[in-house]
Every structure is written in structure tokens, then in C-alpha cells.
Amino acid sequence: MVCCRDTILNSFSSCSGVFLYHYVDLQSSLASLAVPISRSGKIELQFGIKNSMGYANPNQVAGGLHMRLFSRAFIVSDGSKRVVFVSVDIGMVSQRLRLEVLNKLQMKYGHLYSQDNVVLSGTHTHSGPAGYFQYTLFMLTSKGYLKESITAIVNGIVESIDRAHDNMKEGRIFINKGREETSSLNRSPHAYLNNPAEERKRYTSNTDKDLIVLRFTDMDGDGIAALSWFAVHPVSMNNTNLMISSDNMGYASYLFEEEKNTGSLPGEGPFVAAFSSSNLGDASPNTKGPHCINTGESCDSLDSSCPVGGPNMCMAMGPGLDMFESTKIIGENIYKKAKEIYRTAKHEVSGPIHFAHQWVNMTDVTVQVNSTHTAKTCKPALGYSFAAGTIDGVGGLNFSQGSLEGDPFWDGIRDALLGVPSNETKDCHSPKPILLNTGEMNQPLPWHPAIVDVQIITIGSLAVVAVPGEFTTMSGRRLREAVKKELESNGNMEHMEVVLAGLCNIYTHYISTYEEYQVQRYEGASTIYGPHTLSAYIQLFRGLARAIATNTVNHLPKGPQPPFFSDKQLFTLMFSNQPDKKPTNTSFGDVLMQVRPSYRVGEVADVTFVSGNPRNSVTRMKTFLTIEKYDNATDKWEVVHNDASWETRFHWKKEKVGRSNATIEWHIPHSTLPGIYKIRHFGHYKELVALKPVVKPYEGSSDIFKVDK
């Protein structure tokens, strides 16, 4: 087995379209099986060019770096079959991204890694890059298709798989689970309450609290990696954040890897810890709940609206005083519980590997509702409550959640600009009032996908169900139960632990239950294939599970292959960055605002440099900054932090006439040793040489300064 990590951070764009280029580490292993482990890969982010992927907020244009993004890959082999699981610090995996990764893998490895045995899962950070989609709706909300963004992500994922592949060795896998009670609440409780009372009574909470951890060891029992799944949205960093960040789940990985890789900088140690998404559709980390930000009163109502200001004023926050503290608290909670579960993992995973995959036309699935009735899925459409957003990030146009009727004003605008929804689509999606009939919109390209991946991999008694979107709590419970029952019904597979891996392979928004769909909160309005979407997925995944259990996977039809549009068919709403300018009598890397001579722990040291556009640095460097301490014994400077460190923040600001500056902050932790320090900045600037753009490196350094307790 093998685990590897690679970074995806090195240039700036809007959060939706940002990509940083750095390493991504992917590591994992399997008990009694050959499993490769590798540590580092690369993915890039672009600065100042796109909105972040997740909130669909056009004002959320990335202008800095909070935490680097990583790709963590796990390969497990039983000697005859192998599977790959990749957890990537991005909002979600797009169909275009998956297809490009699979194409590169096929060129390198032939049929060893394919759509059948490779799972790509996004952590669902809402402060990551965009620009890697091929369907019109996603391109419009992230300023188009950005080739440099998707290239960086693809290269980072593939490199992490390469490193895992090249470092395969014998190992063992242990599984354990526990409950993390303090890190999530249900953000649509009124929809959850519409599920049958008898079903709800079976559970003690309206979000899933189980945290499942795999502990990977070598044959000597030494830990080499951890892979976990937990259901919570990585939205502690809210939609006002303008820095690239892996959010709460990324911070949990950071803490686990920091503890295990003593003395190593982030992303550089051998131990890899991935915290992957699950059925997080209605699970929020903002545990103080929704309140009116103008009055402080609760707005935990069906429409999430405030008496003054309406739905735009209803926001959830917490548990911290700001988004940084909340990210830290939630990340620490998850990390500490995962560490406890990891330490006590005793049950060994052993047995053969299986996998099953199909492409399905989700717009035309017939569902057997009961013995006498059938239903069908629909062409994609989004309801009015989709535009309302959620209590984690409101929509901004005063739409309300729970809307069961349209609005003549917005209907008129839609009809004039985008076309009138057909009666067939309206009837199929009822009671959803349709705002965007995306399944009937195909210009310049289809607005939503029709062909979707469904996939299951099993490793001994562990089954990983790769779901193509955001399942709500109860949707996930129903799917897990159905898959487990199907796997065990044949008698060959017993005591199966079924895990839902979220945001896998392609993004299809949300999957609510039929009952939740009737309420039309945000999650129901965003269930794009209609009220029977969950039933269709349960039916499809049961078919995969049955094929695995009965050893008939080869009899499964592959299904219709998805489209792969040429780059010429895709569009971008962003221009290439222009040559960089600098103030008169300065050089790139010169200091504009100097550090103070001394600081105490707990304070913030900051310095501002003349800078180039961080987009110039895509694929060219590993860090924008270092914090260095002078070692008296060796008379050398030692790097103690880089831009992947929690304690550092990198801000880039575009000025007039092509100028820009970069400000580096070091939030000096209380654990810092007294001594002499300096802050260094690295970057690239673009200039015209003989009318051709040329990119050149630069660096700068602050004055030295003293840190005391």
C-alpha cells in the first residue's frame, strides 16, 4: 500500500478559480496487501483572477493564501486487483477534471488505473480554486474555464498517484470509528423533520456524528497514514474570505501530519492524514446556529429570514469569534477525535478487493417506487430556494428558502433570457418552482451534466460508496443501509462497514430525500434530477453492490460515456495578466513597509514587498514565503514556517498601472523560541523583452527582528 501527498497551491485567482501550485501528499495502505505510499505532488492556484468555488460569490476573488491545498492519494492492492482513493483539497471533483486525470493515467499506466478503480473525492472547501468545469452553469459562476487552473490540479492529483505507485510496499490496515458530537449542526432542520418520525427515532442526532478512521501501518506496525471520513461542510471560512484555504478539514489534516512529522515543514513529512467528505449536505460547522446579524435574534425558521433585512441578514456563525478561530476550533475537534480513534484501532481490514463502476444517464432513470408504481428522474433544474443560498452563505438577492411558488418578476426575466421551462420539466420537478431549467439549456454548452458516475470500491469488509454530490444526512443513511444490505444478502460478504465518500468524480449539486424535497429548502431546490433522485441512486448503487457480492461485475453495462468538450468549445471570462510594473527607483522584492525591531509571542509581524502577480509563479515555485530563525551554533538561517503553515498569511494587492504588493503576516505562536528572525518573500514578475513576455524570479527579505516571550 502507499500514501502520498501533493500541493495544489501557487498562484492566485478568485476562490472559484484560484489555484495554488504546491505539493499534494497522498498516503495509504492495506492490511496484508501491497499498498504504495508516497508523499508529495503538486497543484496550483491562481490569484486575483477568479471567484472561489463553493459560494458562487462573484465578489470572492482570491487575493491571498491562508493554507495550501493538498492532494492525498491512497493505493491498495491485494496482489491481483488494486484501488486508488484520492482526497483533494478542492470544492468538488468535476467531470472534466476526472476525465483529464484518467487520460493522463492511461497514458502512463495503460489499463492499470481507470474509471473502474480510481475514486477522486473533493474535501469541499469553499475557499479553493475554480475554473475546472466544462458545463455552462459552473463556468458562468467561476469566470469560465481556466486551463492553467485545471492543469495544475490534474498534475497535482496525478503526481500524488505517481508517488504512491512508486512507493508500494507491504502493509496493514485497521479500521475504527467514534462519535464527534461538537462539530456540526443541521442547517435545514425543518426539512429533516419532514422525514418519517419512525425513521428519525432510530437516530440520536439530525446529523451524522460518526467519524470513521483507517490506520495504515507497515508490516512492523509503525503508522504511515490515516484516512478518515466525517460529515461536515468546510465553510468555517465564510464567503467574505479572500484567501485560499483548506478550511476546517484541511486544518485537521495539518494538525495530524504536524504531530506525526516532527521537525518537518507542512507537506514534507512521510506521514499523510486525509480528512475526506461524506454525507455533509445539510451539516454545518457553524454551531452557534443562524442569527440575524443586525439584531442578534435567532432566525432558525423555515425560510431563514429576519424581521429586518429578510433572508440576507440570516447567517450562522461560530463556534469562534471569527472565521479563523472557528476554523481552528472545528479542525481541532475533528483532529483530536480522529487521533483517539486512530490510536485505538484494533480491527484489521483484510480480504479481497472489488470495484464496480457505471456511467448513467441520470435524466432518464426509471425508479421502482413499490410493487405497483414506478417514477422517473428529470432533466436538471434548480428551484427558487437555490438562489437563496444557505445560512452558511446567503444568496444575496433576497430569495427565501422553502419557496414553493415562483415569482412573476424573476420568471419573466428567465423566460426572456433563458427560455420557458417545458410543462414536462415543471411536472417532473413538482413541487419545486423552477428558477433555472438547466436541463433544457444547451448554449453555448449544456448547463448541467446528464451522464453521471456511480462507483463502489471494497477492501475486505470496507465498502466505499463514491457519491457524485452532496447527500443530506438522511439520504446518506438510507444509501448506506441499502448498500450494506445488498452486499451482505448473498452471504459471501459479512459485517461490512459502508462509508459514503462525498463530492466524487462529478458534481451534481445536492441529493435530498423525497420528503425533504417537498419542503424545498436549499438542499431540495438543488436536487437537480427531481424528487426521485435519491431513489434512483439507491437503485443504481444497489445494482453495483449486488454485482460485487455475486461476482458479476463483468456483466454490468458500462453505460453511455460522458462528453469531453474541446478546449475551443469552452469559454473563459478572464484575461491573461499583464506585465508587472514597479514604483520608480525600486526593484521587485524591495520592502515597502518594514517589520518592527522586536515582537513578543502572540503578536503579528508583518512586512510588505514590491511584488509581481502570483499567477506568474504557477508551476515555478513551492512557497511564497519563509519565516527563518538564525542558528547561532551553525551560523545559518533555518526555515521554521512556509506558506502552508497555519501561522502565516500571504496577502496580494493589485494597485494601479500594473503595480502590486504582497504583505506577509506571521502570527507568532506562543510556542515560538526566543531568537532572531526574518521574513522572506519569493515570486516572479513578467516583463516584455523584444515585445515578448518573459517571466523572471525575484526574492526579498525583511530586516532581522527579535522575538521574546
Side-chain angles (χ1 to χ4, degrees), residues 222-295:
D222 295 326
I224 55 178
L227 173 57
S228 66
W229 291 271
F230 184 65
V232 69
H233 257 79
V235 290
S236 294
M237 301 295 291
N238 62 42
N239 63 3
T240 67
N241 171 47
L242 300 181
M243 293 189 292
I244 297 302
S245 177
S246 54
D247 212 288
N248 47 44
M249 298 292 266
Y251 187 54
S253 289
Y254 175 89
L255 290 174
F256 211 144
E257 292 174 353
E258 181 183 50
E259 178 189 328
K260 294 294 185 178
N261 297 319
T262 304
S264 297
L265 291 170
E268 295 185 3
F271 188 93
V272 173
F275 285 78
S276 304
S277 59
S278 190
N279 54 319
L280 47 63
D282 50 3
S284 169
N286 295 308
T287 53
K288 289 182 179 178
H291 290 81
C292 300
I293 58 177
N294 51 354
T295 66

Side-chain angles (χ1 to χ4, degrees), residues 60-270:
Q60 194 184 14
V61 177
L65 174 60
H66 176 226
M67 295 183 71
R68 275 195 182 263
L69 309 182
F70 289 86
S71 169
R72 296 171 172 88
F74 301 76
I75 302 177
V76 180
S77 170
D78 64 3
S80 61
K81 295 180 181 178
R82 61 177 60 191
V83 290
V84 180
F85 184 89
V86 183
S87 179
V88 193
D89 289 336
I90 55 177
M92 61 283 291
V93 174
S94 74
Q95 187 175 78
R96 179 63 174 231
L97 175 61
R98 174 167 165 82
L99 292 175
E100 293 209 10
V101 167
L102 292 175
N103 286 342
K104 290 198 74 169
L105 291 175
Q106 184 177 31
M107 291 174 62
K108 285 190 172 189
Y109 302 106
H111 297 295
L112 183 63
Y113 303 121
S114 69
Q115 73 272 1
D116 296 330
N117 66 343
V118 175
V119 177
L120 306 181
S121 174
T123 62
H124 204 40
T125 174
H126 284 45
S127 297
Y132 55 97
F133 292 80
Q134 67 173 5
Y135 292 99
T136 298
L137 179 69
F138 302 125
M139 288 193 284
L140 286 175
T141 57
S142 57
K143 298 189 179 179
Y145 174 80
L146 189 61
K147 186 65 175 179
E148 55 193 349
S149 281
I150 192 168
T151 298
I153 303 173
V154 169
N155 289 345
I157 292 172
V158 172
E159 183 173 345
S160 65
I161 295 173
D162 287 342
R163 295 184 180 188
H165 176 86
D166 293 339
N167 289 278
M168 294 287 291
K169 64 180 179 181
E170 294 292 325
R172 304 173 70 187
I173 298 177
F174 299 87
I175 188 170
N176 196 11
K177 67 179 178 181
R179 291 179 63 82
E180 169 44 45
E181 302 280 359
T182 61
S183 297
S184 66
L185 60 75
N186 193 304
R187 69 185 187 188
S188 286
H190 297 276
Y192 180 88
L193 287 172
N194 210 44
N195 291 307
E198 288 302 313
E199 182 179 35
R200 288 185 280 111
K201 286 179 182 178
R202 296 169 52 197
Y203 305 99
T204 59
S205 174
N206 59 7
T207 61
D208 274 348
K209 304 296 186 181
D210 283 349
L211 198 165
I212 298 174
V213 179
L214 301 183
R215 176 165 64 94
F216 297 90
T217 74
D218 59 23
M219 297 306 291
D220 294 325
D222 295 326
I224 55 178
L227 173 57
S228 66
W229 291 271
F230 184 65
V232 69
H233 257 79
V235 290
S236 294
M237 301 295 291
N238 62 42
N239 63 3
T240 67
N241 171 47
L242 300 181
M243 293 189 292
I244 297 302
S245 177
S246 54
D247 212 288
N248 47 44
M249 298 292 266
Y251 187 54
S253 289
Y254 175 89
L255 290 174
F256 211 144
E257 292 174 353
E258 181 183 50
E259 178 189 328
K260 294 294 185 178
N261 297 319
T262 304
S264 297
L265 291 170
E268 295 185 3

Side-chain angles (χ1 to χ4, degrees), residues 48-69:
I49 45 179
K50 279 197 174 183
N51 59 301
S52 299
M53 192 67 225
Y55 291 113
N57 181 354
N59 296 318
Q60 194 184 14
V61 177
L65 174 60
H66 176 226
M67 295 183 71
R68 275 195 182 263
L69 309 182

Side-chain angles (χ1 to χ4, degrees), residues 317-355:
M317 291 177 284
L321 297 177
D322 59 31
M323 59 182 170
F324 297 100
E325 186 178 16
S326 293
T327 299
K328 186 174 184 179
I329 291 171
I330 297 297
E332 283 182 345
N333 289 346
I334 297 170
Y335 150 69
K336 288 178 179 177
K337 178 56 67 173
K339 184 174 69 169
E340 173 191 326
I341 297 169
Y342 175 92
R343 178 179 55 81
T344 56
K346 298 287 195 299
H347 179 71
E348 186 167 0
V349 177
S350 60
I353 286 176
H354 300 286
F355 44 81

Side-chain angles (χ1 to χ4, degrees), residues 598-616:
S598 64
Y599 295 88
R600 292 190 178 277
V601 295
E603 294 184 322
V604 179
D606 60 321
V607 56
T608 301
F609 297 91
V610 177
S611 76
N613 192 319
R615 289 182 66 187
N616 300 324

Side-chain angles (χ1 to χ4, degrees), residues 584-597:
T584 305
N585 298 322
T586 66
S587 299
F588 291 101
D590 283 357
V591 173
L592 295 174
M593 186 185 73
Q594 194 56 265
V595 294
R596 303 199 316 252

